[in-house]
Amino acid sequence: MEQIEKRILKLRKQLQHWEYLYYSEATPEVTDSEYDLVMAELRMLEAKRPDLLTIDSPSQRIGGQAQKKFRRVHHDFPMLSLDNVFEEAGFLLFDKRVRKKLNHDKDITYCCELKLDGLAVSLLYDNGKLIRAATRGDGTIGEDITANVRTIRTIPLQLKDHGNLPKIMEIRGEVFMSKAGFLHLNETAKREGYKVFVNPRNAAAGSLRQLNPEITAKRPLMFYCYGVGLIKEGKLPKSHWECLQQLKAWELPVSNQICRCIGSVAVLNFYWKIKKLRSLLEFDIDGLVIKVDSLALQQHLGFTARSPRWAIAYKFPVQEQLTRVYNVEFQVGRTGVITPVARLEPILVSGVVISNATLHNINEIKRLRLMIEDTVIIRRAGDVIPKIVSVVISKRPATAKKISFPMQCPVCGSNVKQIENKPILRCTAGLICAAQQKKTLKHFVSRQALNISGIGDKIIDQLVERKLVKTPADLFRLNKKIFMQLDRIGPKLAQNLLETLEKSRKTTFSRFLYALGIQKVGKTIAENLATAYGMLDTLIAADINSLMGVKDIGNIVAIHIRNFFEETHNIKVIQDLLSPEININWTEPMVLPILTRDNPFFGKIIVLTGTLNNFSRDEIKDRLVTLGAKVRNSISTKTDLLIVGKTTGAKLAKAKQLNIPMIDETKMIYLLRGHLNAITEKQFNN
């Protein structure tokens, strides 16, 4: 190795060590001027020999070129969230569940860490070199933020190897901002005329997701690791606490405020200690993270769909403040539910400026006895969600006004109804309300509704946002030119979408009813309605008592159906869909008489496979359901009968394997056409 290369490697090693001491251990070994001299020498040598420049060099922390878009990263092991408790009783219940699951009478050893108020990230190291960094995202898919993370000086670009470093190792931790760094950042923003951040977490998240790494490099970000995800060609100690000590030995930053506690009493003592120290810490925390220390026990306890069973977040009590309600507005959600929202005089609660608080529903307003201009107590539940706890009646002014609930939807002006015995207000114009457009359209095109394949969520989002579609009928007015205006749609795809729309005009009565998105009307109830009424006009005219006579429909569902068809806007959209221009159509379902339990299909679990010559799958399913059958999509040991069409596949093979009785389409038609008494129950089973 030549002299200049040896010198570069020596300088990098020295600088990495000094950065670790300064940023992670807070024990600087040299002055800033000495550090700057060594860094200047390194940059000079790398400029002379650019072929020796590597991405893990300390000189490369200044940030790279701005990125246009973050690349998606798939986490090999999901980055799950933690369940929360807010009181001592909640933690003790967690401890009880752990001991019960492990059949463990003795105290469990836990590792307790600070719950940092930042952004979770994943760092991937290859032979100790940082090669990728990603956000948590939805836990499965995150965003590649490698260029930005390289600018954070507490994160080593090269780990210190003691001979036991795994080849591939994923480190998980939290990026955050100190209180002092946050104040300095906001002071600079004010001075230079930029928008200030609400709190340190908001500042950290915004800084980490900058498209330009040079901006991230100027932000005072810090990092502490709290665990390991993927690991290859290497192993870790047997406990979580020992893992953290090993990470620290590799010069990864680990908080000094961690504690190994034996039993719940020791955990609670540590909790109270940290709670007292909370205000003295240089960064924000909102509680403790408590983990079963043994990795073997962690593995035994396992996970739920969203969180590990071996860890819990024990959050600190919420903080409360007084403020005034100057108005109450009503917002319409994607499902038509109308939610009251209190507009507040801005107040700082737990480090966050609060100006709005949801009131959930009518009962919440009644419970609080809230009036406009009232003084209220605001709390941030779990240091996250603002909530009005109570009204300070003694401070109520003479000018206070009662809250008026809307009779018409604040978005579309349609009627607002309150379902009997429910505190929920809902807009009845599901098909035309702008607040519900995306949800309504996505449901309308879904597989079990009109089955307009190819028109997915992203296309619907663009069509609504560009005001190209307002109601389901507008979908059928689209042309090739309009489709090609959308992102990533060329001539071929545009033509395919038009053909799919054309094909979907032919449907079934039950599918059409389901596609309308009537509240509480799922696929089965839509099928029951189609069977019971046969014709749309008959259903529209049906009253509450008539609807309640249909299978599976009670008072609440009947009211939802009646409200939907009483709304003139909905009827107009339905008429539009059935007009000669759009021409949604179906064959009227065969209305069969109510049959006795003696019919051979009653109570049977039936599966269909293959293509039928004379009917669609949905038409046959309608008839079977009318006869009391239960139609399923897959074969199991509980299946009573398989109806076999052409071009069958795996279902037929599995049915033969399980000795499931089978009939073909001809025999099925024979049974459906009224010859029900020709075959006895015994013959059917044979």
Side-chain angles (χ1 to χ4, degrees), residues 73-87:
V73 171
H74 184 275
H75 299 299
D76 292 291
F77 294 103
M79 295 184 71
L80 301 176
S81 57
L82 294 174
D83 285 334
N84 300 319
V85 295
F86 300 93
E87 299 174 342

Side-chain angles (χ1 to χ4, degrees), residues 195-213:
K195 182 180 177 180
V196 298
F197 289 97
V198 176
N199 54 45
R201 186 192 184 283
N202 179 261
S207 301
L208 201 56
R209 299 190 73 256
Q210 287 288 330
L211 292 176
N212 188 349

Side-chain angles (χ1 to χ4, degrees), residues 486-520:
L486 306 181
D487 296 343
R488 298 184 178 181
I489 294 185
K492 185 175 181 181
L493 178 54
Q495 185 60 40
N496 290 342
L497 294 176
L498 290 174
E499 291 173 2
T500 301
L501 279 164
E502 183 62 33
K503 183 180 178 182
S504 70
R505 294 176 198 262
K506 176 70 175 176
T507 185
T508 66
F509 186 21
S510 63
R511 275 184 176 270
F512 180 77
L513 291 177
Y514 177 68
L516 295 178
I518 304 170
Q519 190 68 23
K520 301 292 184 182

Side-chain angles (χ1 to χ4, degrees), residues 626-645:
T626 302
L627 294 171
K630 301 173 184 177
V631 181
R632 300 289 183 259
N633 293 323
S634 58
I635 295 285
S636 73
T637 54
K638 295 182 180 180
T639 303
D640 295 308
L641 177 69
L642 178 68
I643 296 175
V644 183

Side-chain angles (χ1 to χ4, degrees), residues 434-498:
Q436 304 173 63
Q437 279 177 356
K438 287 184 179 180
K439 177 183 178 297
T440 298
L441 292 166
K442 289 173 183 178
H443 176 79
F444 187 83
V445 304
S446 64
R447 184 172 177 271
Q448 293 186 324
L450 265 287
N451 192 25
I452 308 177
S453 60
I455 300 184
D457 290 359
K458 291 182 180 179
I459 291 179
I460 294 290
D461 289 344
Q462 291 184 70
L463 290 171
V464 172
E465 288 162 9
R466 300 185 188 189
K467 302 187 185 311
L468 297 170
V469 168
K470 291 183 178 179
T471 74
D474 292 335
L475 290 169
F476 297 90
R477 297 187 174 98
L478 298 172
N479 55 44
K480 192 172 183 179
K481 183 179 179 181
I482 293 176
F483 273 126
M484 289 176 63
Q485 293 174 13
L486 306 181
D487 296 343
R488 298 184 178 181
I489 294 185
K492 185 175 181 181
L493 178 54
Q495 185 60 40
N496 290 342
L497 294 176
L498 290 174

Side-chain angles (χ1 to χ4, degrees), residues 38-56:
V38 174
M39 177 64 80
E41 183 185 354
L42 174 62
R43 286 176 175 163
M44 179 191 69
L45 293 175
E46 288 176 339
K48 285 184 178 180
R49 290 293 306 276
D51 59 305
L52 298 177
L53 183 62
T54 60
I55 59 172
D56 62 324

Side-chain angles (χ1 to χ4, degrees), residues 360-377:
H360 302 293
N361 53 46
I362 296 171
N363 282 1
E364 180 69 2
I365 293 176
K366 291 178 179 178
R367 181 188 72 79
L368 292 167
R369 294 186 292 165
L370 179 68
M371 297 177 70
I372 295 171
E373 295 191 23
D374 269 342
T375 296
V376 296
I377 298 174

